[in-house]
Amino acid sequence: MFSAFYLALAMTGAALVAWSLAGEQRRSEASAEVLDVEGHGTRTILTVQFSTERGVVCEVSFRSSVVANRAVTIGERIRVAYGESHPCLGVREVGDRSPWYIFIIAVVVLTAAVIMAYVVWRRPRPPLPLRYAGMP
């Protein structure tokens, strides 16, 4: 029962990741103005404002991860990538490849689920007859 649930969960997760990566192919780019820069240890959170090709104005915050330890200042213009269907969601700096890590994790989880399902659901081998039990 547990392995069936785990397998269904892993397959659903893999399908969602595949759908997300397919959506990554339908992305556009825009020039965004940096409105705020927050440093949290090694992470830099940027708040930017940009306008899409359709005229939608978005103001979003995201983690900058393209070039570590890069000085970004307020008022600077950077390139951002956004999804065409929901431009204000999932905005990232151009060059950020973090969704591929999610894909790799999903493949590993799905592989583990398939192996576990095989081990649980495989047909057991029949035991040897008792007359052969003591033979070398």
Side-chain angles (χ1 to χ4, degrees), residues 5 11 15 20 23-24 29 33 36 47 57 62 64 66-68 71-72 80 92 101 112 117 120:
F5 173 74
M11 289 176 66
S20 174
E24 291 291 319
E29 295 181 8
E33 180 182 359
D36 189 28
T47 301
V57 177
F62 62 91
S64 175
V66 174
V67 180
V72 179
V80 294
R92 290 191 315 272
Y101 296 118
V120 170

Side-chain angles (χ1 to χ4, degrees), residues 23-32 48-58 60 62 78-95:
E24 291 291 319
Q25 302 302 321
R26 298 183 307 270
R27 295 184 72 78
S28 297
E29 295 181 8
S31 178
V48 299
Q49 182 177 15
F50 65 94
S51 179
T52 67
E53 295 171 353
R54 296 180 182 166
V56 177
V57 177
C58 295
V60 296
F62 62 91
I78 61 171
R79 298 290 297 169
V80 294
Y82 62 90
E84 291 181 5
S85 58
H86 301 289
C88 296
L89 298 176
V91 176
R92 290 191 315 272
E93 199 168 0
V94 170

